[in-house]
Amino acid sequence: MENKDVLVQRTGRLGHLVLNRPQAMNALNATMITIVADALDEWEADDAVESVLISGAGERGLCAGGDVVSIYHDALSGGGHASEAFWRAEYHLNARIKRYPKPIVALMDGVVLGGGVGISAHASHRVVTERSRVGMPETGIGFVPDVGGTHLLSRAPGQLGTHAALTGTMVSGADAIAMGLADHYIASEAVPGLVAELSERTAGAAVARWGQVAPESGLMQQRWWIDEAYAPDCAETILERLVRVGDPGAEAAAKTIAGRSPTAVSVTLAALRRARTLPSLEEGLNQDLRVSLRSLRWPDFLEGIRAQLVDKDRNPAWSPATLAEVSAEVVAAAFAGLGERELALSAPQK
């Protein structure tokens, strides 16, 4: 029986992948990753396919991330093997999208979170609209941005990426462009026209035809306090600086971070600083697997998913409860090598 979680379509010059779980905001499962990867393999060898489009079904957005409830149950069972297999396949796909030899247009309309960023923000043509809400909200569930998210956010101007990663805040389409997560801005009402034109013209020409100047980034206007507050490599110090700024935006950020998992916040900050020095997306994804597998053993990961997505009481009991209690040993252990279980991706040699 054909799987309908991803619609694989061909129209003219275009190969179109539609993430098709609108009831779950198109959250990615293992089967979807396989379907997308197989389609990319097939279309790479097909000269009739000139461009690929990735979009999401329904009105809410491209993709709300990975199916973390399934990961929760896998971790709860004590195994974690299915989660590891999923992450390996997902991270390979993230790298595949980055290095794909044909243009990939990612339509980042509506909500694009977590794994949705991984399947879109590494594409060659990343399109946002006035409806776009892009974010890596992992610290709110006791997890750390993965799918190459720390690679991308560590390279955002100033400390914008640190702000986005630690708070888990969603940013606008204009902000996403300013941060380097997207390239092109169109009106949401122009989406059908863009999709139609992609079947007849090159990706560059079609996107240029419908693109417009993005509005000013509100986040960029706040760099005067973001860059200063998030400069330290210590999460406690960042929180102290945010409280001292005296700006409503900084106060809101401090309150948000104080409610996130202290372990996840501490490891996320370290992951960003490490990712900034790694030479390629592939090296960043290798780091992501190390951290993701270690996070399965943190009490905060199960507790965060329980509170946010299972019981939905929105009242996680983090352990440890404060940033001061997160040991340097726990943070360092998150990055320890995996031996034979390493992802071992490498960037193509130039």
Side-chain angles (χ1 to χ4, degrees):
M1 182 187 232
E2 184 181 0
N3 187 287
K4 297 294 186 181
D5 284 355
V6 180
L7 304 180
V8 181
Q9 304 171 340
R10 279 282 307 277
T11 308
R13 303 176 176 183
L14 181 68
H16 189 180
L17 297 165
V18 183
L19 308 183
N20 189 42
R21 296 180 68 213
Q23 75 283 359
M25 292 181 70
N26 302 319
L28 298 169
N29 56 37
T31 300
M32 295 168 74
I33 296 294
T34 299
I35 294 170
V36 172
D38 288 348
L40 292 179
D41 287 345
E42 178 184 342
W43 289 339
E44 181 179 356
D46 188 344
D47 291 340
V49 175
E50 295 185 8
S51 303
V52 175
L53 173 66
I54 300 175
S55 66
E59 296 298 318
R60 299 172 73 184
L62 172 65
C63 176
D67 188 352
V68 292
V69 175
S70 294
I71 295 174
Y72 169 84
H73 290 297
D74 183 45
L76 201 61
S77 70
H81 302 300
S83 300
E84 179 174 348
F86 172 77
W87 282 325
R88 286 182 181 277
E90 183 180 29
Y91 300 168
H92 273 276
L93 178 60
N94 300 147
R96 178 87 164 106
I97 289 171
K98 171 71 173 180
R99 306 298 177 185
Y100 200 63
K102 297 181 180 182
I104 296 181
V105 180
L107 189 52
M108 302 169 72
D109 185 37
V111 171
V112 187
L113 301 176
V117 173
I119 207 168
S120 59
H122 302 304
S124 60
H125 295 68
R126 305 166 299 176
V127 180
V128 289
T129 74
E130 80 284 354
R131 293 180 355 106
S132 296
R133 296 294 180 268
V134 184
M136 302 293 293
E138 285 79 2
T139 57
I141 58 168
F143 193 46
V144 175
D146 64 335
V147 298
T150 52
H151 170 84
L152 292 166
L153 293 174
S154 69
R155 287 156 172 78
Q159 297 294 333
L160 294 182
T162 309
H163 170 70
L166 298 193
T167 62
T169 188
M170 289 190 286
V171 304
S172 70
D175 290 334
I177 290 175
M179 294 173 66
L181 302 176
D183 313 294
H184 307 281
Y185 191 95
I186 69 170
S188 58
E189 64 185 19
V191 166
L194 171 63
V195 174
E197 195 147 345
L198 281 167
S199 67
E200 301 173 354
R201 304 180 67 186
T202 66
V207 170
R209 162 73 173 80
W210 294 97
Q212 56 185 247
V213 176
E216 191 170 3
S217 164
L219 207 54
M220 287 290 282
Q221 294 177 341
Q222 299 178 71
R223 278 192 62 183
W224 66 270
W225 63 262
I226 288 176
D227 287 357
E228 170 66 19
Y230 289 97
D233 294 336
C234 171
E236 280 185 276
T237 306
I238 288 174
L239 206 54
E240 292 168 359
R241 288 193 179 189
L242 286 170
V243 170
R244 291 201 305 265
V245 167
D247 181 87
E251 292 172 5
K255 183 178 180 181
T256 297
I257 293 172
R260 302 304 194 205
S261 158
T263 301
V265 167
S266 299
V267 176
T268 294
L269 180 59
L272 287 167
R273 300 302 190 245
R274 289 170 177 253
R276 189 167 55 192
T277 67
L278 296 175
S280 67
L281 169 63
E282 286 79 3
E283 290 293 340
L285 290 165
N286 292 338
Q287 174 176 279
D288 287 347
L289 184 66
R290 297 176 198 123
V291 176
S292 294
L293 292 181
R294 271 33 183 272
S295 71
L296 280 176
R297 309 304 174 203
W298 298 340
D300 281 5
F301 189 36
L302 287 175
E303 174 62 8
I305 297 175
R306 180 207 64 76
Q308 298 297 333
L309 300 170
V310 179
D311 297 338
K312 300 182 180 180
D313 58 33
R314 307 292 193 266
N315 188 32
W318 303 125
S319 178
T322 67
L323 289 168
E325 295 174 275
V326 180
S327 70
E329 290 75 20
V330 166
V331 174
F335 301 95
L338 297 172
E340 293 182 354
R341 294 168 66 194
E342 285 284 350
L343 188 61
L345 288 172
S346 58
Q349 297 297 314
K350 293 182 180 179

